[in-house]
Amino acid sequence: SHNEDDAIPLLIRARSYHDRGWFVRRQRVILDIQTGALVSLASYMKKALADTDSAIRLSDANPYGYYLRLRILRGFGGKDDRRYL
């Protein structure tokens, strides 16, 4: 059974979204990504960020949530790339 106060399932799903987004991005610079892939990347990263933020709200003592949040935001490079979120 699933405990609604458990942040771990959210972090697992967030990591999965993050990994899927990076699979779409394939280490390319944002400007080199085709529009469809960019939309997909942004969608995965929005979901990953939402799950990570929810997990942090549930359990701010777990450092992995903060680590994953930084990885998600870093995936967009600089402040200009965050406009896709």
Side-chain angles (χ1 to χ4, degrees), residues 24-58:
V24 169
R25 183 173 174 165
R26 300 178 194 250
Q27 304 294 329
R28 292 178 295 213
V29 205
I30 289 287
L31 297 175
D32 293 339
I33 300 174
Q34 295 177 350
T35 303
L38 187 58
V39 169
S40 181
L41 168 65
S43 174
Y44 283 130
M45 292 303 172
K46 282 181 190 176
K47 291 175 184 177
L49 197 56
D51 278 354
T52 301
D53 288 345
S54 294
I56 290 170
R57 280 192 297 278
L58 285 174

Side-chain angles (χ1 to χ4, degrees), residues 5-6 11 14 32 35 39 46 49 56 67 71 73 83:
D5 293 333
D6 188 2
L11 291 173
D32 293 339
T35 303
V39 169
K46 282 181 190 176
L49 197 56
I56 290 170
Y67 168 76
R71 284 187 57 126
L73 294 175
R83 69 180 174 269

Side-chain angles (χ1 to χ4, degrees), residues 58-79:
L58 285 174
S59 178
D60 63 356
N62 185 339
Y64 186 74
Y66 296 101
Y67 168 76
L68 186 55
R69 188 171 201 287
L70 289 173
R71 284 187 57 126
I72 292 164
L73 294 175
R74 182 188 69 135
F76 278 94
K79 62 180 178 167

